[in-house]
Amino acid sequence: MIPMKISETSVAKIEEICREFDNDKGELINVLHKAQNAFGYLPEEVQKVVAQNLNTSLAQVYGVVSFYSFFTMVPKGRYPINICMGTACYVRGAERVLNEFKGLLKIKVGETTKDDKFSLSSLRCVGACGLAPVVLVGEKVYGRVTLDNVQEILDEYKETVPV
Amino acid sequence: MDTINIKIDNKNFQVPKGATILDAAKSVGINIPTLCYLNLHDLNTINKPAGCRICVVEVKGRKNLVPACATECVAGMEILNQTVRVLNSRKTVLELILSDHPTDCLICTKNGHCDLQSMAMNLGIREIHYKGEQSHYIKDTSPAIIRDMDKCIVCRRCVTMCNDVQTVGALSAINRGFMSVVAPAFEMNLEDSPCTYCGQCVAVCPTAALTEVDHTNKVIRELANPKKTVVVQTAPAVRAALGEEFGYEPGTLVTGKMAAALRDLGFDYVFDTDFAADLTIMEESAELLDRITRHLNGDETVKLPMLTSCCPGWVNFFEQHFPEMKDIPSTARSPQQMFGSIAKTYFADKLGIKREDMVVVSIMPCLAKKYESQREEFATNGNPDVDYSLTTRELARLIKQANIDFDSIEPQDFDHPMGESSGAGVIFGTTGGVIEAAVRTAYEVFTKEKLHKVEFQQLRGMDWIRETTIDFNGTPIRIGIAHGLGNARKLLEEIRDGKSHYHAIEIMACPGGCIGGGGQPFHHGDTNILLARQKALYAADKAKVIRKSHENPAIQKLYREFLGSPMSKKAHELLHTQYFDKSNQVEITKD
Ligand code: SF4
Ligand code: SF4
Ligand code: SF4
Ligand code: FES
Ligand code: FES
C-alpha cells in the first residue's frame, strides 16, 4: 500500500469542487480540471479523495488522468514552458523546437526539471497562428521560434538569487 | 417477440428486433468472429467496447465497415460477412494487434486456451506484415495473479469484470495509444491495490496477460521428496469442471477419475475438501444458531445477519472495502483452511508425524485461496496449514505432464477419514449451496426434529440476489444470497444503512459461486457451462446417501475424538479466525 497523507484544507477544497458537480462521477474530467487548477497538479492523494467523493475507484480516476495529456501528476516548474502543437505551428517545425527543449532540459513532455525550475508541456492551437511556431513560458508569448532561440529563451530565466 | 427481415450474405432471415448484427447472425447460425466482445448471458454481463474491430462486416449502402457486436440491425439491412474486403480487414486488424504482441505461444501458459491464438489460426495468419516497436511492461507477480502486460490487447474484459461485476475497481485502462494498457492506479502492483484475488479478470482475459501463479513445479518437487507425506484435498467445484480439460462435456462429474489420477501422481492421501465443508457447516451453523438464540432472547449486542465466510475472495473484499463491518461475518474459516488445520494436527497425530513433515496441497477452483493459504494467521511457527493451493487448471496440467490417460483411468474412492463427506458438502461449490447445507443442519439442531425434505429449491438458481424465508418450526428464518461482489456490495450497503432484514446471508465472490471460480477451466464466455457444472453438483448431492453435514460419521468421530463440540475452545483455536482492516485510507492531517 502507498501511504497517503493530505491536509484538512485540501480535503475541504476537493469536497467543494466535487459538490459543484453534484458528486457525479460522469463529471470526473471537469472535477479533475478544477482540482488541477486549484492544486497546480494532481498528486496521488488528491486523486484518492476525488475518487472517494465521486464514489468511483482510484484506478478509474488514474485511468482518466493518465489518458489526457493536460493532466499532470508532477508539480509544474516555476517557469512552465508550453509549446503549441497546433497545425500551423506543427508545419512550421514545432516538433523540432519541442525536441530542442527536451534535449536541453533533459526532460520529457509532462515532466519537471529536478530543480523545479522548468516544466514542459504541449498545447493545442493557442490562436496566434500568424506567429507560428509559438512557445509560451508562463504568460509570456514567443513567436517564430527557431532552434537557436531555444537556448536564448531559457537563458532569460537565469535566477541570480536562489529561490 | 417482434422480428425484422434482414439479409446476410444474400440470404433472407427473420431476426429479433433490436438485436445487434452479431446476435442476429448467431440466432440464425452464422458465426462472426469476436475478440474484445464478451457476453455472459445468464449473468447479465456484457463487455462491448467495440475496440478490436475483428467483428467488422459490410452493410450495403454504408461506406465504412461496421463492428457487428455494436451495430443494431434495422429492417431491410443487407449484411455481407464473407467478402474479400471483410476478410482482409479482419486479417489486417489482427496483424496489427499481433505486431505488438509476443509470439512465444509455444511456451505460453495459455497455449491452447488463448482466444488470440485461435483467432490467428482461424483467420489463417501466416505472416505479420506490420513490424514496429513492441511495448514492454514490467511483469507484476502477486500472491495469486501474474500480470504480463506485454500480452495485453486492451480488450477491457477484465476492467468490466473488476469494476462493473465485482465493483472492486482495482483495474482500469490507462494511458493512451501505443502505451495503453490495463493496470491498477499509478501502475502500482496488484498486491498493493484493492484487488481481492477473485480471479474473475483472469477468467475472462483472452490472452496470457492475466494468469494464475503456477505452483505445479513446487508440488512435483514435494511429491518426489521421500521424507514428506503429501496430502491432497479437492474442492467441491473441481470435480464438476476438471473433465472439460480432457474433452468431457461440461457438467460431467469426474470425481472418481480425479481421485485415481491424484493417487497416480503420487499423493500419499487423497482427501476431499467436502469433508472440511461439512466441518465448516458444523461450526457456521452453530454460530448462526447461537446468534439467533441470543437475539430471540433479547440480546441487543448480537450481530445479525450473519454472513458466511467460506469464500476468501469475499473476505478480502470486506476487509478492503467494508472494514467497519468486519465483525458481522462468521468467524469460521474456509473449508480449505479447516482442512489444512485438521490435517496438520488431528491427522498428523494419527500418523505420528510432525507437521513439518506433512505437505498439504489443495486443488481449488479459486485464485483467492492461493492468497488465503499464505495469510500469516494460517501458519504455526511459519509452517502453513496449507502449503500449496493449485487451481483446477493446474491440476489438469499436472495430469497431462505426468502422461496419465484420464480417459481410460478407472475411478477410485477418496481415502479415509478426511475423504468422507455428505451431499451438503458437495453443493458448497455453487451459489446457494453453502446456505442450503447450513439450513439442513441448523434446522435439525434448532428444532430437534428431522428434516423430511432436504432440498430447498428456493435457494437455488443463478439470479444475482435471491432471498427466502424458511420456517424453523414456527420461527421464520430469513435468508439472503448474493454472488458476484457487486451484488454482495448491495446487501452490505443495506446492512450498513440498517435496512437489512435477514438472519443469514451467503456470499460468494465469483459469478455462480466456485463453479465459476477464477481457477476453473476457461468458459470462453459460455455461461451454459456454469449452469451445467451447477447441475452436476446438485446431482452429486442427490447421489449421496448422507445429505447432512452433522450425519457424516467421520465428522462425528472428529468431534468425539478431538474437537469436543462445535465452538469449543479447541474448535475456536483450529477452525475460527479473525478479520483485519485492510483498507487503504488517506491520512488527513491538520494544516
Ligand atoms: S482478481 Fe478480482 S478484484 Fe483482483 S483485479 Fe481481478 S477482477 Fe479485480
Ligand atoms: S489484461 Fe486481458 S482482459 Fe484485460 S484488457 Fe488486457 S487482454 Fe483484455
Ligand atoms: S466464489 Fe469460490 S472460487 Fe470464487 S473466490 Fe470465492 S471461494 Fe474462490
Ligand atoms: S497552431 Fe500554434 S498558434 Fe495556432
Ligand atoms: S468484437 Fe466487436 S469490436 Fe471487438
Side-chain angles (χ1 to χ4, degrees), chain B residues 23 131 182 188 204 327 342 359 370 429 455 489 508 539:
Chain B
D23 285 338
K131 294 262 154 19
V182 164
M188 65 170 90
V204 299
D327 53 351
I342 294 297
V359 176
K370 280 187 188 282
E455 288 173 11
R489 177 185 289 276
M508 297 195 191

Side-chain angles (χ1 to χ4, degrees), chain B residues 8 10 31 42 52 70 152 184 195 252-253 288 309 333 336 346 378 386 389 391 441 457 556 567 583:
Chain B
I8 304 178
N10 298 316
N31 183 42
D42 299 291
C52 76
C152 174
C195 171
T252 310
L253 285 168
L288 174 65
S309 56
R333 293 183 194 178
Q336 159 170 281
Y346 175 71
F378 297 140
V386 173
S389 187
T391 59
T441 289
Q457 292 303 333
Q556 292 170 341
M567 312 259 288
S583 62

